[in-house]
Amino acid sequence: MKRWQGWGDDAFLYPLPQSAIEYLNDVVGPGMPLRNVTLDEMTASVPASRLPEHPLVNTDPEERLRHCRGQSFPDWVAMYSGEIEAYPDGVAYPTTTEEVRALIAYAQQCGAQLIPYGGGTSVVGHINPLPGDAPVLTIDMGRMNRLVKFEEESNLATFGAGVSGPDLEAQLRARGRTLGHYPQSFEYSTLGGWIATRSSGQQSLAYGRIENMFAGGLIETPAGTLEIPAHIPASAAGPDLRELILGSEGRLGIITEATVRALPLPEYKEYHAVFFPDFELGRAAARAVMQAKIPLSMMRLSTAMETETTLAMAGHPILLGGLEQYLAARGAADGKCMLIFSTAGREAVVRIGSKEALGITGQYKGVYGTQVFAKQWHKNRFKSPYLRNALWDAGYAIDTLETAIDWDHIPGLVADIETALRTTLLSIDEFVHVFTHLSRLYPHGSSIYVQYLFRCAETPGETLARWRLLKAAASKVIVEHGATISHQHGVGVDHLPYLAAEKGDLGMQVLENVTKLFDPDRIMNPGKLI
């Protein structure tokens, strides 16, 4: 069963190896575990619902608790401490588009606000009710999860927007197809959520981001139904209306059906790991591979600190000791950086792509680290979010931030973000462990994914205050460098103060006017995006 607090299935544990605990003690100090409230305590504290009765609306306290927060750092603090400011007043589980329309009409009649809910995996506050006088209805789309239609020759698949990543892939795999969209939240996140937040997956080099996959669909809005035809492969008939829905974060309406562009399942896959003497050589190699347009499916370059952290947290000291000796003998010792890449498709193309990529990395002093290490990373890529549970229980807080910028400005931006994070808490004698990788690479630039770990404070409030200082410091650096405030996580609440710096005054007016057109009474997910 899905955990009510923390990440993932409550039957799956991913404990910290002893080597990881020792490493964290060295870099930030011993953990400071906080008391966690119980489900019974929290259920008893849920206030009475303010919604009038409706046959589709469930006002059970536990259901409302389980839908009140996502996976952002403030969400974790709230759910573990019990300090929750607002709950949805009810949760609805529609099974048809007609029921979604009925729920929108119900909200209009009783003055309720609506929050679309996919898998509850948002890390920036998309699904959080905000305190206020209006009642809040969360619409959980999880029961609209079927493959509605599949067009064999065109590879167009139409799904209910609440379909989760594993269920979507299973239904396509039965037809020999794949979408190939694998965000780290894949286990629970949904197709509608991917579209509404403009998601990017780990295999985006081969399959593209969600905007490359989204062909069209149905969106139910307070102003009516928006139908975007999906059978047109390209069009010059004015602005593309799909762009209004991509990244709209529930402000315009509720995506009920989405048609996506599937592809045949890959015939063959390879995974490779290469280590470089330093980050600059690795960055140059990664850029060269991308600009050569070699057909890879994934590439990820870790800084020296992330490489060190990954190896230290993995356990298996004997095996890793042998790897360290092997790499050092070939010039990749202290300061080494790990590059992982994969290829997928027709076997002949995969072999050529791997050979070409390895040839380029060799020109930049890359040391081949065998396929075994890369395969192990790929195997565990959806388990790593579970480490957050173990870290929290051990008294450590961890969060991520991500951005994107062109190749010329990556070194300076990475350095300034990491410096800001490492120094922000020094005034209170607290250390922050920061490690970074480049992923979702492009010929002209890359996303930058930063993780930062620090000790919990004595109270949940002080722990959250530390996070706010760190988040603000890093966000300020991102804005000053002219990078995007979000490459893949969206805006929600946490990035709201920084969006205008990227869009400009006129751009923000455009967004305001579009939301007013589709949602004149401002009932759709207020307080998010704009």
Side-chain angles (χ1 to χ4, degrees), residues 5-6 34 42 68-86 122-130 388 392 397-400 452 454 460-472 491-495:
Q5 56 179 197
L34 294 166
M42 287 308 302
C68 73
R69 290 288 189 151
Q71 293 290 323
S72 73
F73 190 84
D75 294 342
W76 270 57
V77 173
M79 293 297 282
Y80 275 101
S81 69
E83 297 176 5
I84 297 174
E85 295 179 331
S122 168
V123 294
V124 291
H126 287 116
I127 60 172
N128 300 2
L130 302 180
R388 195 179 183 191
W392 184 270
I398 188 168
D399 196 31
T400 63
Y452 52 105
F454 55 101
E462 179 57 29
T463 302
L464 183 58
R466 290 179 182 181
W467 174 84
R468 293 196 189 283
L469 289 172
L470 293 166
K471 181 72 172 179
V491 177
V493 174
D494 295 348
H495 294 152

Side-chain angles (χ1 to χ4, degrees), residues 247-409:
S248 58
E249 303 191 5
R251 288 305 305 263
L252 306 184
I254 300 172
I255 304 166
T256 58
E257 282 188 7
T259 301
V260 290
R261 300 177 176 118
L263 289 171
L265 284 166
E267 172 185 302
Y268 183 72
K269 298 178 182 179
E270 285 188 0
Y271 307 93
H272 301 279
V274 180
F275 291 82
F276 295 91
D278 58 49
F279 183 70
E280 267 310 294
L281 284 168
R283 186 179 72 90
R287 185 184 72 247
V289 170
M290 289 306 306
Q291 292 178 347
K293 295 194 173 182
I294 294 171
L296 304 182
S297 58
M298 185 277 293
M299 181 179 284
R300 168 183 171 138
L301 174 67
S302 296
T303 61
M305 185 56 72
E306 179 167 284
T307 301
E308 175 189 301
T309 302
T310 300
L311 297 177
M313 299 284 282
H316 311 295
I318 297 175
L319 178 64
L320 292 175
L323 175 66
E324 296 271 11
Q325 292 178 5
Y326 164 80
L327 294 173
R330 286 156 181 78
D334 293 342
K336 62 183 172 296
C337 295
M338 178 175 64
L339 176 78
I340 293 175
F341 72 87
S342 65
T343 53
R346 294 180 63 85
E347 183 173 357
V349 175
V350 166
R351 292 190 181 278
I352 291 172
S354 294
K355 180 180 178 181
E356 290 296 313
L358 290 171
I360 291 175
T361 59
Q363 295 171 16
Y364 292 88
K365 301 183 180 180
V367 180
Y368 188 60
T370 78
Q371 290 199 41
V372 175
F373 196 83
K375 285 181 177 178
Q376 193 66 20
W377 176 88
H378 184 266
K379 177 183 176 181
N380 292 323
R381 70 195 192 280
F382 298 133
K383 294 180 181 178
S384 57
Y386 284 88
L387 277 175
R388 195 179 183 191
N389 300 326
L391 287 167
W392 184 270
D393 290 340
Y396 296 103
I398 188 168
D399 196 31
T400 63
L401 61 89
E402 41 80 30
T403 181
I405 203 166
D406 58 30
W407 285 109
D408 291 309
H409 294 91

Side-chain angles (χ1 to χ4, degrees), residues 238-253:
D240 190 342
L241 294 180
R242 289 175 306 163
E243 290 293 333
L244 290 177
I245 305 307
L246 287 156
S248 58
E249 303 191 5
R251 288 305 305 263
L252 306 184

Side-chain angles (χ1 to χ4, degrees), residues 51 57 88-92 94 99-117 126-130 134-141 220-223 248-254 518-519 521-528:
L51 285 169
V57 176
D89 292 273
V91 181
E99 288 183 350
V100 172
R101 281 200 291 266
L103 288 166
I104 293 175
Y106 162 77
Q108 289 172 318
Q109 292 165 6
C110 68
Q113 298 171 348
L114 293 175
I115 299 179
Y117 185 101
H126 287 116
I127 60 172
N128 300 2
L130 302 180
V136 177
L137 173 62
T138 292
I139 299 185
D140 187 320
M141 298 296 291
E220 295 301 327
T221 84
S248 58
E249 303 191 5
R251 288 305 305 263
L252 306 184
I254 300 172
F518 285 97
D519 179 25
D521 296 325
R522 296 289 200 258
I523 66 171
M524 294 303 309
N525 210 11
K528 321 298 165 52

Side-chain angles (χ1 to χ4, degrees), residues 22-40:
E22 294 171 358
Y23 180 75
L24 295 176
N25 281 341
D26 288 341
V27 295
V28 297
M32 297 277 289
L34 294 166
R35 178 188 178 271
N36 301 330
V37 296
T38 67
L39 179 59
D40 287 343

